[in-house]
Structures are given as C-alpha cells and as structure tokens.
Amino acid sequence: MTLVLPPRLTASARTLGDTARRRGLPTVQLPDFDVPEELRGGGAHLHAGPSFADAVAPALGIAPLEAPADWLARLPVAFTRREVRAVPIREAYGLRRPAFVKSPNDKSIPALVYTDESRLPGPDAVDPGTVVLVSDVIVFAAEYRLYVLDGHVVCGSRYAEGGRFRPAPLPAGALAFGADLLAAVGHTLPSAIVVDAGTTDAGRWAVIEANAAWASGCYASDPDRALDVVLRAAGPVGQLTERDRAFVR
C-alpha cells in the first residue's frame, strides 16, 4: 500500500505524507503525469487535486470517490439555508441578479459571486452543458471542514472566520450539525468524504458544500483520522464496496 502525492505539495499533502510515513506507509511523489510501471494497477492511494487525479488514477487502479454533482442542490433548505440549483451553465447565462456560482467537484468554474451572466466564462471557453451550482448569496461568519467516514464525523477543523483563513479545532456545534446532517442524508454520500459547513451571519448552521477528501486540505484536523478518510476516498478499485460504486469520479 502506497500513498501517491502530486509534483507540487500543499501543506496538507506534506502533513498527510508525514503521517503516512510515520505509520510505515510508503509515499511516492510523482514528478509528472507518468505513472511508473511498479505502481500501475497496484495497491496505491492518492492525495492530489482533481486534474492530477484524473490523469493518474486510471493507471494507478484507484477509484476516487466524490459526492454527486447535484448533491448540494438536492439537500433540504433546512440544511442549506438558501436556494441551490444544479443547472447547465447555459441556463446560468440567464442570471439577472447576483448569485454564487461554482463547479460542483472541481475548480473549472471559479467559485465567485457573479453580479450577472456577463462575468461567467462564455461558450467559447466552457461547454454550454457543463453543470454548475447556482445559489443565493449568503455570508458565513465561520467555516468548518468535517471529515466523514462511514456516516460519522471523525475529525475536522475550522478553516475560516470572518472570511479570513483561521484554522482552529472544531466546536461542539459543528460536530452536532454534522451528526444531524449525516443522520438525515448520509446515505447520499460516499463512505469517505469531506463536508464543509458554517454558521451564517444570522448564527444558523448551513452546509457550504461537499468535497472529495483526497483533494481537500486538512488544516487543524487530526492528521491520522484525516488520513484514514483519504485512504478510503481514493483507494484501489479492487477494494471498492458495492455501496461506493455510484460515487466514483
């Protein structure tokens, strides 16, 4: 079993790599998209961004798990505190008011508040059928990352406060909100995933988005528990459970 890392390491990749080696799990940092023969189709796991994962996961024999593209849009408003729609970007070109628009599972469409459709990437840059999430604009006072394994929050971290990067341990409220969310909709997520949640400026808890654990920063999370989630979230195809097959990227 080997943890494969990309050419450029984030702070989280370094932390998880160090944690893996401390456990006795070998790590390999690939210099480019070429996968060495000894790693092909073996027992590798991956922590990397979506573009790198798309390029190397098939050769590595890895099944990266992620939430469905429309997962956030299908959540009850009680968990989102805002309207969220998953639509082809061609429909978003009809926006006539500010909205928060982003790609569901990567960064191909920058996650921004767009004042109207004129600032969105045009059909010359993006396929008009590309699905985007379009949501009402709300302000989050604090934002938290929850690492989820088998329907339970196993660790997490605050990562922002007042719009600024400020990692800190999870408060009890974040754990309680995560437990309520997973009790209601945990079956709609893969067995290993990251969910971001936050408190609005009105003091209400809301889901921000779901992210692939294998591409997420761990911040102040317990690195051992975060690594457990990452290993499940991007592991060998042969170890994939029937439950998780629907969530392979």
mmCIF file with all atom_site columns, all heavy atoms in Angstrom, residues 39 44 70 78 87 115 123 128 152 172 191 213:
data_model
loop_
_atom_site.group_PDB
_atom_site.id
_atom_site.type_symbol
_atom_site.label_atom_id
_atom_site.label_alt_id
_atom_site.label_comp_id
_atom_site.label_asym_id
_atom_site.label_entity_id
_atom_site.label_seq_id
_atom_site.pdbx_PDB_ins_code
_atom_site.Cartn_x
_atom_site.Cartn_y
_atom_site.Cartn_z
_atom_site.occupancy
_atom_site.B_iso_or_equiv
_atom_site.pdbx_formal_charge
_atom_site.auth_seq_id
_atom_site.auth_comp_id
_atom_site.auth_asym_id
_atom_site.auth_atom_id
_atom_site.pdbx_PDB_model_num
ATOM 1  N N   . LEU A 1 39  ? 3.842   0.930  -9.994  1.00 0.00 ? 39  LEU A N   1
ATOM 2  C CA  . LEU A 1 39  ? 2.667   1.444  -9.301  1.00 0.00 ? 39  LEU A CA  1
ATOM 3  C C   . LEU A 1 39  ? 1.370   1.167  -10.056 1.00 0.00 ? 39  LEU A C   1
ATOM 4  O O   . LEU A 1 39  ? 0.282   1.369  -9.514  1.00 0.00 ? 39  LEU A O   1
ATOM 5  C CB  . LEU A 1 39  ? 2.797   2.963  -9.085  1.00 0.00 ? 39  LEU A CB  1
ATOM 6  C CG  . LEU A 1 39  ? 3.832   3.439  -8.070  1.00 0.00 ? 39  LEU A CG  1
ATOM 7  C CD1 . LEU A 1 39  ? 3.885   4.963  -8.048  1.00 0.00 ? 39  LEU A CD1 1
ATOM 8  C CD2 . LEU A 1 39  ? 3.508   2.911  -6.669  1.00 0.00 ? 39  LEU A CD2 1
ATOM 9  N N   . ALA A 1 44  ? -2.287  1.273  -4.560  1.00 0.00 ? 44  ALA A N   1
ATOM 10 C CA  . ALA A 1 44  ? -1.986  2.670  -4.250  1.00 0.00 ? 44  ALA A CA  1
ATOM 11 C C   . ALA A 1 44  ? -3.216  3.438  -3.775  1.00 0.00 ? 44  ALA A C   1
ATOM 12 O O   . ALA A 1 44  ? -4.363  3.070  -4.054  1.00 0.00 ? 44  ALA A O   1
ATOM 13 C CB  . ALA A 1 44  ? -1.372  3.356  -5.462  1.00 0.00 ? 44  ALA A CB  1
ATOM 14 N N   . ASP A 1 70  ? -25.006 17.086 -8.144  1.00 0.00 ? 70  ASP A N   1
ATOM 15 C CA  . ASP A 1 70  ? -26.171 17.856 -7.700  1.00 0.00 ? 70  ASP A CA  1
ATOM 16 C C   . ASP A 1 70  ? -26.488 17.644 -6.218  1.00 0.00 ? 70  ASP A C   1
ATOM 17 O O   . ASP A 1 70  ? -27.584 17.972 -5.759  1.00 0.00 ? 70  ASP A O   1
ATOM 18 C CB  . ASP A 1 70  ? -27.392 17.512 -8.551  1.00 0.00 ? 70  ASP A CB  1
ATOM 19 C CG  . ASP A 1 70  ? -27.813 16.050 -8.413  1.00 0.00 ? 70  ASP A CG  1
ATOM 20 O OD1 . ASP A 1 70  ? -27.043 15.236 -7.847  1.00 0.00 ? 70  ASP A OD1 1
ATOM 21 O OD2 . ASP A 1 70  ? -28.917 15.709 -8.880  1.00 0.00 ? 70  ASP A OD2 1
ATOM 22 N N   . ALA A 1 78  ? -33.489 23.291 4.962   1.00 0.00 ? 78  ALA A N   1
ATOM 23 C CA  . ALA A 1 78  ? -33.149 23.336 6.388   1.00 0.00 ? 78  ALA A CA  1
ATOM 24 C C   . ALA A 1 78  ? -31.662 23.134 6.613   1.00 0.00 ? 78  ALA A C   1
ATOM 25 O O   . ALA A 1 78  ? -31.112 23.580 7.629   1.00 0.00 ? 78  ALA A O   1
ATOM 26 C CB  . ALA A 1 78  ? -33.939 22.265 7.144   1.00 0.00 ? 78  ALA A CB  1
ATOM 27 N N   . VAL A 1 87  ? -27.507 23.339 -12.548 1.00 0.00 ? 87  VAL A N   1
ATOM 28 C CA  . VAL A 1 87  ? -28.037 23.582 -13.891 1.00 0.00 ? 87  VAL A CA  1
ATOM 29 C C   . VAL A 1 87  ? -26.887 23.612 -14.902 1.00 0.00 ? 87  VAL A C   1
ATOM 30 O O   . VAL A 1 87  ? -25.733 23.889 -14.538 1.00 0.00 ? 87  VAL A O   1
ATOM 31 C CB  . VAL A 1 87  ? -28.808 24.920 -13.958 1.00 0.00 ? 87  VAL A CB  1
ATOM 32 C CG1 . VAL A 1 87  ? -29.999 24.908 -13.020 1.00 0.00 ? 87  VAL A CG1 1
ATOM 33 C CG2 . VAL A 1 87  ? -27.885 26.101 -13.653 1.00 0.00 ? 87  VAL A CG2 1
ATOM 34 N N   . THR A 1 115 ? -22.181 39.015 -10.453 1.00 0.00 ? 115 THR A N   1
ATOM 35 C CA  . THR A 1 115 ? -23.238 40.034 -10.395 1.00 0.00 ? 115 THR A CA  1
ATOM 36 C C   . THR A 1 115 ? -24.301 39.805 -11.462 1.00 0.00 ? 115 THR A C   1
ATOM 37 O O   . THR A 1 115 ? -25.463 40.143 -11.278 1.00 0.00 ? 115 THR A O   1
ATOM 38 C CB  . THR A 1 115 ? -22.642 41.440 -10.554 1.00 0.00 ? 115 THR A CB  1
ATOM 39 O OG1 . THR A 1 115 ? -21.838 41.480 -11.746 1.00 0.00 ? 115 THR A OG1 1
ATOM 40 C CG2 . THR A 1 115 ? -21.765 41.784 -9.357  1.00 0.00 ? 115 THR A CG2 1
ATOM 41 N N   . PRO A 1 123 ? -19.447 30.497 -23.835 1.00 0.00 ? 123 PRO A N   1
ATOM 42 C CA  . PRO A 1 123 ? -19.481 29.206 -24.545 1.00 0.00 ? 123 PRO A CA  1
ATOM 43 C C   . PRO A 1 123 ? -18.223 28.936 -25.361 1.00 0.00 ? 123 PRO A C   1
ATOM 44 O O   . PRO A 1 123 ? -17.985 27.797 -25.760 1.00 0.00 ? 123 PRO A O   1
ATOM 45 C CB  . PRO A 1 123 ? -20.716 29.338 -25.441 1.00 0.00 ? 123 PRO A CB  1
ATOM 46 C CG  . PRO A 1 123 ? -21.020 30.797 -25.505 1.00 0.00 ? 123 PRO A CG  1
ATOM 47 C CD  . PRO A 1 123 ? -20.541 31.387 -24.238 1.00 0.00 ? 123 PRO A CD  1
ATOM 48 N N   . PRO A 1 128 ? -21.447 24.509 -23.066 1.00 0.00 ? 128 PRO A N   1
ATOM 49 C CA  . PRO A 1 128 ? -22.710 25.019 -22.508 1.00 0.00 ? 128 PRO A CA  1
ATOM 50 C C   . PRO A 1 128 ? -23.455 24.024 -21.628 1.00 0.00 ? 128 PRO A C   1
ATOM 51 O O   . PRO A 1 128 ? -24.292 24.403 -20.806 1.00 0.00 ? 128 PRO A O   1
ATOM 52 C CB  . PRO A 1 128 ? -23.525 25.376 -23.753 1.00 0.00 ? 128 PRO A CB  1
ATOM 53 C CG  . PRO A 1 128 ? -22.504 25.621 -24.816 1.00 0.00 ? 128 PRO A CG  1
ATOM 54 C CD  . PRO A 1 128 ? -21.391 24.645 -24.520 1.00 0.00 ? 128 PRO A CD  1
ATOM 55 N N   . HIS A 1 152 ? -20.016 9.020  9.831   1.00 0.00 ? 152 HIS A N   1
ATOM 56 C CA  . HIS A 1 152 ? -19.710 9.721  11.089  1.00 0.00 ? 152 HIS A CA  1
ATOM 57 C C   . HIS A 1 152 ? -18.605 10.749 10.866  1.00 0.00 ? 152 HIS A C   1
ATOM 58 O O   . HIS A 1 152 ? -17.675 10.514 10.084  1.00 0.00 ? 152 HIS A O   1
ATOM 59 C CB  . HIS A 1 152 ? -19.261 8.728  12.166  1.00 0.00 ? 152 HIS A CB  1
ATOM 60 C CG  . HIS A 1 152 ? -20.290 7.687  12.493  1.00 0.00 ? 152 HIS A CG  1
ATOM 61 N ND1 . HIS A 1 152 ? -21.376 7.938  13.307  1.00 0.00 ? 152 HIS A ND1 1
ATOM 62 C CD2 . HIS A 1 152 ? -20.403 6.390  12.085  1.00 0.00 ? 152 HIS A CD2 1
ATOM 63 C CE1 . HIS A 1 152 ? -22.107 6.838  13.400  1.00 0.00 ? 152 HIS A CE1 1
ATOM 64 N NE2 . HIS A 1 152 ? -21.546 5.897  12.674  1.00 0.00 ? 152 HIS A NE2 1
ATOM 65 N N   . ALA A 1 172 ? -18.215 22.199 19.415  1.00 0.00 ? 172 ALA A N   1
ATOM 66 C CA  . ALA A 1 172 ? -19.242 21.162 19.593  1.00 0.00 ? 172 ALA A CA  1
ATOM 67 C C   . ALA A 1 172 ? -20.399 21.352 18.617  1.00 0.00 ? 172 ALA A C   1
ATOM 68 O O   . ALA A 1 172 ? -20.993 20.390 18.140  1.00 0.00 ? 172 ALA A O   1
ATOM 69 C CB  . ALA A 1 172 ? -19.747 21.179 21.034  1.00 0.00 ? 172 ALA A CB  1
ATOM 70 N N   . SER A 1 191 ? -18.775 6.690  1.333   1.00 0.00 ? 191 SER A N   1
ATOM 71 C CA  . SER A 1 191 ? -18.384 6.314  2.694   1.00 0.00 ? 191 SER A CA  1
ATOM 72 C C   . SER A 1 191 ? -17.267 7.199  3.239   1.00 0.00 ? 191 SER A C   1
ATOM 73 O O   . SER A 1 191 ? -17.080 7.270  4.450   1.00 0.00 ? 191 SER A O   1
ATOM 74 C CB  . SER A 1 191 ? -17.951 4.851  2.738   1.00 0.00 ? 191 SER A CB  1
ATOM 75 O OG  . SER A 1 191 ? -16.755 4.654  1.995   1.00 0.00 ? 191 SER A OG  1
ATOM 76 N N   . ALA A 1 213 ? -12.396 14.030 -0.315  1.00 0.00 ? 213 ALA A N   1
ATOM 77 C CA  . ALA A 1 213 ? -11.406 14.025 0.766   1.00 0.00 ? 213 ALA A CA  1
ATOM 78 C C   . ALA A 1 213 ? -9.989  13.954 0.216   1.00 0.00 ? 213 ALA A C   1
ATOM 79 O O   . ALA A 1 213 ? -9.054  14.523 0.792   1.00 0.00 ? 213 ALA A O   1
ATOM 80 C CB  . ALA A 1 213 ? -11.670 12.858 1.712   1.00 0.00 ? 213 ALA A CB  1
#
